[in-house]
Amino acid sequence: MSPAQWDTTSDPAGGLERAAAILGAFDPAHRELTLAALVARCGLPRSTTHRTAERMIRVGWLDKPKDRYRIGNRLFEISSLAPIRHELREAVLPFLQDLHTAAKTTVQLGVLDGAQILVVEKITGHRPMPMLSQPGGTIPAYCSALGRAILAYSDTGTIDAVLDGPLAARTPRTLTSKVAIVRELTAIPPRGWAIDREEGNIGVSCVAAPIFGPLGEIAAALSVTGPSQLVRADRIGPAVRLAAAAASRAYTTRR
């Protein structure tokens, strides 16, 4: 069954919008949902939700073990074909692995997605940090080292789009002033890395560096994240910067 055949009583675009609403109900904190929870989170009528979800199961977009819906394997297979997932991840992954071996704590790869950082890859090893986003999850760009490493090399319009919105204090150490964040951004290019000092989670610090594309444009960032006593910018910053530079060269030559 193709998506265009889902609902013969309305246009195919409407069926896709309903499917998108259902998929949008899932996030890292809501990986499995009962029908009632799915209805509450997607905002569609119960009958529409049930009918659309059952059709999504048939095409592999959803799965339903027992009484809970979850994302289906077919979407995982499709997502691996996305250029940002495939080309960028494949180019950068060896350098993430080397950095993880050296740092012995979590490393991440992220790209800017609106005002958020989309986590493309993450390696945790023996020190898992469950408060961090998993691949496919998002974190705010304004208060993360990944976000700042990208924003420091972005145009003014992109920076304004991120910093003109609400800047909530995630911890007592979160910078919530646009002026203060811009000042932080200007300090990044001279040293080559960005810093998050417990701004997203108390006790957790992060150091990130930018990855550039073939035209010298900012494409992504990679980071080392871990307990603040272990992740010190003066010690880990140069290694992060070198890993990002090597990843940039590898990414550029693949395209």
Side-chain angles (χ1 to χ4, degrees), residues 44-164:
L44 298 173
R46 183 182 178 91
S47 60
T48 301
T49 301
H50 181 264
R51 182 173 63 252
T52 305
E54 291 301 309
R55 289 169 176 170
M56 291 172 73
I57 289 173
R58 291 202 289 273
V59 298
W61 290 13
L62 290 182
D63 189 16
K64 188 184 179 185
K66 298 184 179 180
D67 63 341
R68 293 178 180 270
Y69 295 92
R70 65 185 183 189
I71 298 296
N73 288 337
R74 181 55 182 153
L75 282 187
F76 176 78
E77 296 168 358
I78 294 172
S79 71
S80 67
L81 303 177
I84 197 169
R85 179 88 183 195
H86 179 70
E87 296 177 9
L88 178 63
R89 179 185 176 278
E90 291 301 309
V92 176
L93 186 57
F95 305 98
L96 278 181
Q97 293 170 333
D98 289 346
L99 190 58
H100 177 260
T101 299
K104 297 180 174 59
T105 188
T106 299
V107 295
Q108 298 181 100
L109 171 67
V111 297
L112 187 65
D113 183 15
Q116 303 288 310
I117 290 296
L118 173 66
V119 178
V120 177
E121 186 57 82
K122 174 183 176 183
I123 305 175
T124 58
H126 296 294
R127 189 178 286 113
M129 307 191 73
M131 76 287 291
L132 302 181
S133 291
Q134 300 300 313
T138 59
I139 53 179
Y142 72 93
C143 64
S144 64
L146 285 169
R148 290 176 183 169
I150 294 174
L151 291 177
Y153 299 89
S154 299
D155 58 72
T156 302
T158 299
I159 295 172
D160 288 343
V162 173
L163 301 185
D164 285 346

Side-chain angles (χ1 to χ4, degrees), residues 142-230:
Y142 72 93
C143 64
S144 64
L146 285 169
R148 290 176 183 169
I150 294 174
L151 291 177
Y153 299 89
S154 299
D155 58 72
T156 302
T158 299
I159 295 172
D160 288 343
V162 173
L163 301 185
D164 285 346
L167 304 175
R170 292 166 61 90
T171 77
R173 301 190 178 185
T174 307
L175 295 181
T176 58
S177 161
K178 180 178 180 179
V179 172
I181 296 173
V182 169
R183 186 182 303 117
E184 187 74 13
L185 296 181
T186 61
I188 294 170
R191 67 179 177 234
W193 61 80
I195 305 169
D196 155 18
R197 305 177 185 86
E198 303 189 3
E199 296 187 50
N201 297 279
I202 288 295
V204 177
S205 292
C206 182
V207 178
I211 297 172
F212 298 96
L215 300 178
E217 77 283 9
I218 184 67
L222 56 75
S223 69
V224 168
T225 304
S228 296
Q229 67 270 24
L230 297 179

